Amino acid sequence: MTDAPIEHYVNKAEFNPESAVTLTPEQERYYMASQWRLMWWKLRRHRLAVISGIFLAAIYLSIVISEVLAPYNLHARNTRYLYSPPQSVHLFDDGKFVGPFVYGIKASLNLERLQWTYSEDTSDVQKIRYLCVGDDYKGASYLFWGLFPGSFHLFCPAKDGQLFLLGTDRLGRDVLSRIIYGARISLTIGLIGIAISFTMGLTIGGLAGYYGGFIDAVVQRIIEVIRSFPSLPLWMALSAILPVTWSPILVFAGITVILGMLDWPGLARAVRSKLLALREEDFCTAAELMGAKPSRIIGKHLLPSFMSHLIASATLSIPSMILGETALSFLGLGLRPPITSWGVLLNEAQNISVVALYPWLMYPVVPVICIVLAFQFFGDGLRDAADPYK
Amino acid sequence: MFNYIVRRILVMIPTLIVISALVFIIIQLPPGDYFTTYMNELQSRGEKVDAAKLEFLKQQYGFDKPMIEQYFVWATGLLVGDFGYSFEFSRPVSEVVGDRLWLSFIVSFTTILFTWMVSFPIGVYSAVRQYSVGDYTLTFFGFLGLATPNFLLALILQWMAFSYFGTSIGGLMDPQYMDAAWSVDKMLSVLEHLWVPVLVIGTSGTAGMIRRLRANLLDELHKQYYITAKAKGLPPGKALIKYPLRMALNPFIADIGNLLPEVISGAAIVSIVLSLPTTGPMLLNALQSQDMYLAGSFLMFLATLTVIGTLISDLALAVLDPRIRIGGGAAK
């Protein structure tokens, strides 16, 4: 114990009275960030949503180059291999490393059951080729986007060989290639449909919410009526209206419009309730006093304040459109061949006895479920990120 | 309360009228009518058609009258239980439909019950034990259930039953009861077969319900009154059931309005896949052959079922929630 008095502590460092108000660079970055940037930061932390987002982006990119990704073109028929089961990929032949290859298919007619049976021909090793060019097997050439002839593939069977990784269908067409091509239609239907429903939802909900009164009452009733209809029977009825004489392309357009036209009430309702609340805000009155037109107030001042939320909910309703198209085509009321979507492919699996014999016809189910799941996760992540209170 | 009920029922009437008009427009929209299609079909098969007979038939069913008049005849017929005439079956629609409406109703009703019974305990569990292994597992299955379209689920189940057990899980009763009158045995047979469609149709709704209940209950669990209740020493079970659960239950009931159209949609397509003797397959058929009155009555029936279901959910909500009762439903 010492008797010396405890020294009075004085911090020698220069005192900055503003230290409490100056922001660290991170804080400054956070405070200055725009709403979209904040959303992006939040979304990035949501790992499942990010993975789903990347998955979706990859799939959507893939539909641009479906022709290159699929080993066969959409309509290539291998008449010698009808309902051929999936070939499995091997690496070793007889204990020797060969690299990825498939065995050739031996077809024999089973006279008792009157159907073709297929078995692996282990003497026939067919190496899978990568980045191959050339029209040296059946179904190699294609028209890229229906315009430019080509025959470049990411991977393809050996010369004059077969490569049916997911089997073939009734007409001997490669199921895998058809699934890859089907993505093009199935996925764009969701996008176009949501574009239609988004525009309608914004316009109608915007009008109802901004003007209120009579317009609002009418819109509310319409929404109520549409929502009280079970959607699928209504879709069925409307797509049955499309004339049989229409070309498949027109039917595609018709189905998309039907799906989009019946989806807007949910969005319109969200827009309306947000607008009703926001139009009482001061910034809205200010804009009005400065003589802004309603369209400008809605579009420039009101919509941006809840756009992120809207986009998130729109993302969540894309899968229901994809499913709607799949269901309709599955029932035979939707798209018609030669337009190929996943639903059209599943249409072949409608008969249970066919499916029991050739279960690989059910493979298009897998991408449908994956896509819907991915949209669900991504949309959930987006919605959480768009919510400023979370 | 009485006022609220009356007002709520009165609101239903214009909705139903608009729906009936919409249904009528939809079934009228396809170019041509049943007879024209029928005639084309006969001609394409090379058979002779008597034009005079066709005209007579068209006149008989009022096809030559203006639209509005046709609609009124149809709509007033609906009110007294006359659903029009099915051209394909050459019998009144009410005879053709028969049990189908009831079976549709039974399937939808049981599905809703199933949804509740399954999602209630699971939702409460995964909210109370948030981020536990059980919660994660259930959430994962919930997402999977939400993402699997029910007709594909039906297809997969049917395929598995067919290839592993060699039985068909389609149908809603044993074949011998198909045309039999209703009896206890037939009821039992229906109940025996009911679980497959109910499971298939109910999956996605249940998954959604679980997620909503979980989210709602979680919101309530973070509120201060619950912390107070626990702090003053209420046993956990009582604290949960007495306060937050009741609050979280509200949307549970209100959601029937959303759930019901979903269930009815699902039932329509699943019954086509599983070939159930409900409205679905016949609706599809009627739509394809332009049997307009048959299709119209099915659409009308399905929409009415939804509207009435929403009504019941609103009323139940009013019983449960004094705020809605006192507000007299003015908000909605």
Side-chain angles (χ1 to χ4, degrees), chain A residues 202-218:
Chain A
L202 275 191
T203 323
I204 300 177
L207 288 178
Y210 188 78
Y211 288 110
F214 177 68
I215 300 182
D216 185 32
V218 171

Side-chain angles (χ1 to χ4, degrees), chain A residues 63-67 142-148 184:
Chain A
I63 65 175
V64 180
I65 49 164
S66 308
E67 284 90 349
Y142 54 77
L143 280 177
F144 190 70
W145 282 68
L147 296 174
F148 315 105
R184 196 171 260 181

Side-chain angles (χ1 to χ4, degrees), chain B residues 10-30:
Chain B
L10 283 182
V11 166
M12 210 175 87
I13 294 171
T15 312
L16 279 178
I17 292 177
V18 174
I19 288 180
S20 72
L22 212 65
V23 165
F24 189 76
I25 294 172
I26 289 174
I27 56 177
Q28 280 289 351
L29 263 184

Side-chain angles (χ1 to χ4, degrees), chain A residues 260-312:
Chain A
M261 293 271 276
L262 294 180
D263 187 70
W264 61 267
L267 270 175
R269 203 171 239 198
V271 174
R272 173 188 164 272
S273 59
K274 290 268 180 190
L275 275 186
L276 275 182
L278 281 175
R279 69 169 182 177
E280 308 297 334
E281 297 278 335
D282 288 342
F283 69 87
C284 185
T285 322
E288 226 167 285
L289 287 176
M290 288 166 94
K293 283 197 223 74
S295 63
R296 186 183 161 88
I297 296 183
I298 296 180
K300 262 251 158 31
H301 300 285
L302 296 179
L303 278 187
S305 44
F306 57 95
M307 200 43 142
S308 50
H309 174 82
L310 279 189
I311 290 180

Side-chain angles (χ1 to χ4, degrees), chain A residues 221 224-225 227-234 236-238 240-241 243 269 323 326-328 330-333 346 349-350 352-353 355-356 359 362 365 368-369 372-373 376-377 380 383, chain B residues 11 15 18-19 22-23 26 29-31 143-144 146-149 151-152 155-156 158-159 162-163 211 258 261 264-265 268-269 272-273 280 283-284 287-288 299 302-303 306-307 332:
Chain A
R221 287 289 91 73
E224 211 164 87
V225 168
R227 280 179 73 105
S228 64
F229 249 112
S231 55
L232 198 85
L234 192 56
M236 280 162 66
L238 286 176
I241 291 174
R269 203 171 239 198
L323 284 182
T326 310
L328 285 179
F330 171 75
L331 291 178
L333 284 173
L346 281 173
Q350 214 185 25
I352 194 66
S353 48
V355 176
M362 296 254 285
V365 171
V368 173
I369 294 178
V372 173
L373 257 185
Q376 204 85 46
F377 286 138
D380 265 2
R383 195 173 46 186
Chain B
V11 166
T15 312
V18 174
I19 288 180
L22 212 65
V23 165
I26 289 174
L29 263 184
F143 264 121
L144 209 60
L146 212 58
T148 316
F151 68 101
L152 294 183
L155 204 63
I156 294 170
Q158 204 178 27
W159 168 63
F162 196 82
S163 47
R211 286 184 55 73
N258 288 331
I264 289 172
S265 282
I269 186 162
I272 293 171
V273 177
L283 171 65
L284 179 68
L287 284 172
Q288 279 167 338
L299 283 178
L302 294 180
T306 325
V307 171
K332 236 188 165 184

Side-chain angles (χ1 to χ4, degrees), chain B residues 137-173:
Chain B
T137 324
L138 289 170
T139 307
F140 175 75
F141 277 111
F143 264 121
L144 209 60
L146 212 58
T148 316
N150 42 29
F151 68 101
L152 294 183
L153 191 64
L155 204 63
I156 294 170
L157 271 185
Q158 204 178 27
W159 168 63
M160 290 203 322
F162 196 82
S163 47
Y164 293 114
F165 306 112
T167 54
S168 167
I169 52 171
L172 206 51
M173 56 191 89

